[in-house]
Amino acid sequence: MERVQGPESRWAWVEVNLAALRRNTSAFRRLLGRGVEMMCVVKADAYGHGAVPCIKTMHAAGASQFAVATVREGVALREAGIEWPILILSEPPATCVQTLVEHDLMPAVYTSEFALALGEAAASAGRVARYHLAVDTGMTRIGVRRADAVELRRTIDFHRGLECAGTFTHFATADVPDDWDFALQLNRFRETVEALRGAGLDTGLVHCDNTPGTILHPECHFDMCRVGVGLYGLHPADTTHGCIDLEPVMSVRGRVVRVIYPNVGDGVGYGLTWRVPRRNIQVATVPIGYADGLARELSNQMDVLVGGVRCRQVGNICMDQFMFAVDVNGARSYRPTRPVEYGDVVTLIGADDDERITAEEMAGLRNTINYEVVCDFGMRLEKIYT
Ligand SMILES: *Cc1c(COP(=O)(O)O)cnc(C)c1O
């Protein structure tokens, strides 16, 4: 493996493997039928991977639309020159309708007040605003209640400034096989779509599948799938392993900025929560901390990789730095073949020789999911595209 040097100003970075992203995107594209569009979800700066380079790679691999969470995320993509359709996955405040029209961003819609404000803004700009109708089929998050969907459309459809470009719902349990609640949501969604069509209303593109839905439920790909976490090489749940080959796209690395042999009994970090137990133990410092997404609750719990060997992180993780211990003489888990040196590359997430630390491993230690781990590392670390 060619070693990335890292940014010149800080020995800490996120490596984004765009070739892996392209292969993952193609793998999903192959799951979808010919007429089915692929909408890539790039909210939270593409789950921490950096939205603009990811979008270009995804589009080259067959994606036709993109989705973000916030208006600001959408505007940033337009300003970066992304011209493909962009859906905002929730209904923003009505105060931003002009911004949406100006930047040709499609919001999710579920209230008539917002929809009519959007229509007005579009009409006065001499345009038609495209939106997607969000339907709550059982997740109790956003969307029009399914019993009210037809009425909402009838209330807003007169407006010449509005065009329904899509109708969608979101599943709460798409990762659970043979799940009753999933089946219930899907039935309710089908019924809602039929009711809208029965009332003579154009639904636009019908879509409901997220990553686990796309993998496990091809029967409801409808017109488009909204694929997120899987593109980044992460499985949304244990249930999708074995159904599709995915390669992790993100690695997180830094370099040793200081290493010493402290005295036996010396404490490490704020609160001195770890003390040097023996002679010949090195303590090394890496410039990555909780402001970079390395959760403080991992303190004294996680491993890092150096030269393909696991070493134990020690002391409380600081805002911008953490320390780890190296026992060259091979006590228990810390067993490098040589002492650690200034400038050595340290891997927090990713592969180093035959060892690998996954986002899932870190998520397990944090009591969370791989989604949150990669989003967090997107916060401040410089990204290097390989
Ligand atoms: C985040 C999100 C997705 C993508 O979910 P993944 O599990 O990452 O595929 C799809 N649809 C909506 C509405 C979302 O909020």
Side-chain angles (χ1 to χ4, degrees):
M1 184 180 79
E2 181 101 7
R3 264 266 126 90
V4 169
Q5 295 299 304
E8 64 173 2
S9 64
R10 192 179 181 210
W11 274 354
W13 67 95
V14 161
E15 256 167 64
V16 179
N17 183 342
L18 291 176
L21 179 68
R22 177 173 45 76
R23 288 189 288 270
N24 294 336
T25 309
S26 300
F28 278 100
R29 188 54 262 179
R30 284 193 296 274
L31 282 186
L32 306 186
R34 272 188 172 278
V36 181
E37 289 201 47
M38 182 162 167
M39 171 178 272
C40 291
V41 181
V42 293
K43 58 194 180 192
D45 205 19
Y47 295 48
H49 295 67
V52 173
C54 288
I55 286 173
K56 290 177 179 166
T57 302
M58 291 161 173
H59 188 266
S64 54
Q65 307 213 11
F66 299 90
V68 294
T70 71
V71 176
R72 283 181 64 170
E73 289 175 340
V75 170
L77 295 180
R78 288 290 184 244
E79 285 174 348
I82 304 295
E83 291 181 350
W84 300 302
I86 297 175
L87 173 66
I88 317 251
L89 291 166
S90 60
E91 189 188 85
T95 42
C96 72
V97 289
Q98 235 168 330
T99 309
L100 294 171
V101 171
E102 205 173 299
H103 294 277
D104 191 20
L105 300 168
M106 299 183 288
V109 159
Y110 55 89
T111 70
S112 56
E113 292 78 8
F114 175 84
L116 295 175
L118 179 67
E120 286 302 299
S124 56
R127 298 201 205 167
V128 175
R130 288 151 35 94
Y131 71 90
H132 286 223
L133 181 73
V135 184
D136 181 6
T137 56
M139 181 158 161
T140 320
R141 186 170 75 173
I142 63 153
V144 61
R145 301 186 79 162
R146 65 206 146 86
D148 303 331
V150 170
E151 196 192 315
L152 173 60
R153 284 290 307 274
R154 283 189 170 139
T155 309
I156 65 176
D157 261 49
F158 75 92
H159 208 296
R160 64 197 167 86
L162 290 176
E163 181 190 325
C164 181
T167 300
F168 75 102
T169 194
H170 193 50
F171 293 119
T173 58
D175 56 326
V176 184
D178 301 320
D179 184 60
W180 173 252
D181 290 300
F182 174 85
L184 205 58
Q185 277 199 272
L186 179 54
N187 267 334
R188 289 167 171 172
F189 185 55
R190 284 209 165 99
E191 281 168 16
T192 309
V193 169
E194 275 160 29
L196 289 164
R197 287 180 176 154
L201 300 163
D202 185 354
T203 57
L205 294 175
V206 172
H207 53 107
C208 56
D209 270 337
N210 54 359
T211 297
T214 303
I215 299 170
L216 298 174
H217 299 285
E219 75 279 9
C220 54
H221 285 173
F222 292 102
D223 300 321
M224 183 163 76
C225 290
R226 302 187 305 271
V227 188
V229 80
L231 297 166
Y232 309 102
L234 304 174
H235 281 273
D238 291 341
T239 47
T240 58
H241 283 274
C243 305
I244 185 168
D245 275 332
L246 299 174
E247 301 168 54
V249 173
M250 179 188 286
S251 304
V252 181
R253 303 189 212 273
R255 285 171 181 271
V256 171
V257 294
R258 179 197 192 234
V259 57
I260 61 163
Y261 287 92
N263 295 322
V264 174
D266 281 358
V268 175
Y270 290 119
L272 307 178
T273 57
W274 189 83
R275 286 182 187 275
V276 177
R278 286 179 300 282
R279 281 162 49 78
N280 289 325
I281 288 182
Q282 289 182 297
V283 172
T285 305
V286 180
I288 298 179
Y290 57 79
D292 299 301
L294 185 64
R296 190 170 178 275
E297 66 209 300
L298 291 163
S299 296
N300 292 301
Q301 309 293 321
M302 61 177 273
D303 290 339
V304 296
L305 305 178
V306 189
V309 174
R310 278 178 184 262
C311 295
R312 182 41 74 91
Q313 189 280 322
V314 296
N316 277 333
I317 293 168
C318 311
M319 190 182 293
D320 319 295
Q321 301 167 88
F322 73 86
M323 282 68 83
F324 67 95
V326 183
D327 186 346
V328 180
N329 290 331
R332 292 200 305 279
S333 57
Y334 333 117
R335 215 168 285 173
T337 51
R338 63 163 178 83
V340 164
E341 289 170 14
Y342 179 83
D344 278 355
V345 172
V346 179
T347 298
L348 286 71
I349 299 278
D352 185 6
D353 283 348
D354 297 334
E355 267 290 357
R356 176 182 279 282
I357 293 177
T358 60
E360 286 73 30
E361 174 180 334
M362 190 171 275
L365 294 171
R366 284 180 56 178
N367 234 322
T368 183
I369 51 177
N370 49 11
Y371 293 69
E372 189 175 6
V373 169
V374 288
C375 279
D376 285 354
F377 283 122
M379 289 193 287
R380 185 172 75 176
L381 291 173
E382 204 166 310
K383 292 168 193 84
I384 295 189
Y385 294 90
T386 64

